[in-house]
Amino acid sequence: KTPRGLTLSPDAQQLYVTVAGADAIQVVDIARQRVVGQIPVGASPHIVMMLPNGSAGLVVCQGPGALDFFDPTRHTVSHTVRVGTNPHWLAVSSDGRTAFVSNEGSQDVSVVDVTSGTVTATVQVGNAPRKLVVQPGLVGQGTTPAPTAQAPTQGTITIADHGTQEQIDLYVRDI
């Protein structure tokens, strides 16, 4: 059993830890310093995140190529969204309405509408994207967060803008 990812609840009272091999998320009560629950999820869970308002959690499960939504109160999966092949990382917009999943095997990023639980776009980003960051746009400029995905190919970073679905490849020199 291997812990892979962790996140705090918005109130910092609970810690959620993904456990590969158990295909679960363990719920740790911070004050009591012990496991108080376990949420069964899809095979090979990686990254777990809570929505900013704490109403739900999300976890990327590599085995089935899925994004599982879970209820942090009931400790159950509420629904599952199929994303690309071998999902690896997860990021959520600051307003909690959009999730972005990097899919290593299908070389793309799935854009998921959190409210409807559907994939609204798939953005091709190149060779085996892994890490993902959501960078907010300028306030008042009508921009939306743009996810970035870093490909493991040495010397390259791929940036995909989910608004325009355009891809930019940057080539970085060794310093």
Side-chain angles (χ1 to χ4, degrees):
K1 299 177 183 177
T2 306
R4 286 205 173 134
L6 53 93
T7 194
L8 282 171
S9 60
D11 64 5
Q13 299 299 307
Q14 294 186 319
L15 178 69
Y16 297 89
V17 182
T18 59
V19 184
D23 298 338
I25 299 168
Q26 288 189 334
V27 184
V28 178
D29 183 293
I30 300 294
R32 295 190 287 176
Q33 297 183 9
R34 66 182 188 98
V35 175
V36 295
Q38 185 160 300
I39 306 166
V41 296
S44 193
H46 266 61
I47 300 304
V48 60
M49 294 189 86
M50 295 299 296
L51 294 180
N53 66 9
S55 64
L58 309 173
V59 61
V60 172
C61 300
Q62 267 196 338
L67 177 64
D68 282 353
F69 288 67
F70 65 90
D71 182 322
T73 305
R74 294 190 175 120
H75 296 173
T76 57
V77 171
S78 55
H79 63 283
T80 299
V81 177
R82 296 284 176 209
V83 291
T85 307
N86 293 339
H88 186 81
W89 207 263
L90 169 66
V92 177
S93 62
S94 58
D95 64 8
R97 294 189 294 189
T98 308
F100 305 92
V101 178
S102 64
N103 301 302
E104 202 172 353
S106 50
Q107 302 181 15
D108 54 30
V109 171
S110 297
V111 180
V112 179
D113 179 288
V114 171
T115 303
S116 67
T118 59
V119 174
T120 59
T122 302
V123 182
Q124 293 298 313
V125 294
N127 187 30
R130 290 194 162 205
K131 305 295 189 252
L132 195 67
V133 176
V134 174
Q135 179 66 39
L138 298 174
V139 176
Q141 299 296 315
T143 58
T144 54
T148 61
Q150 181 174 354
T153 304
Q154 185 173 351
T156 65
I157 297 174
T158 300
I159 300 172
D161 182 329
H162 83 277
T164 63
Q165 297 187 20
E166 292 180 16
Q167 174 182 318
I168 301 169
D169 291 320
L170 303 176
Y171 299 94
V172 183
R173 292 185 188 179
D174 291 334
I175 297 175

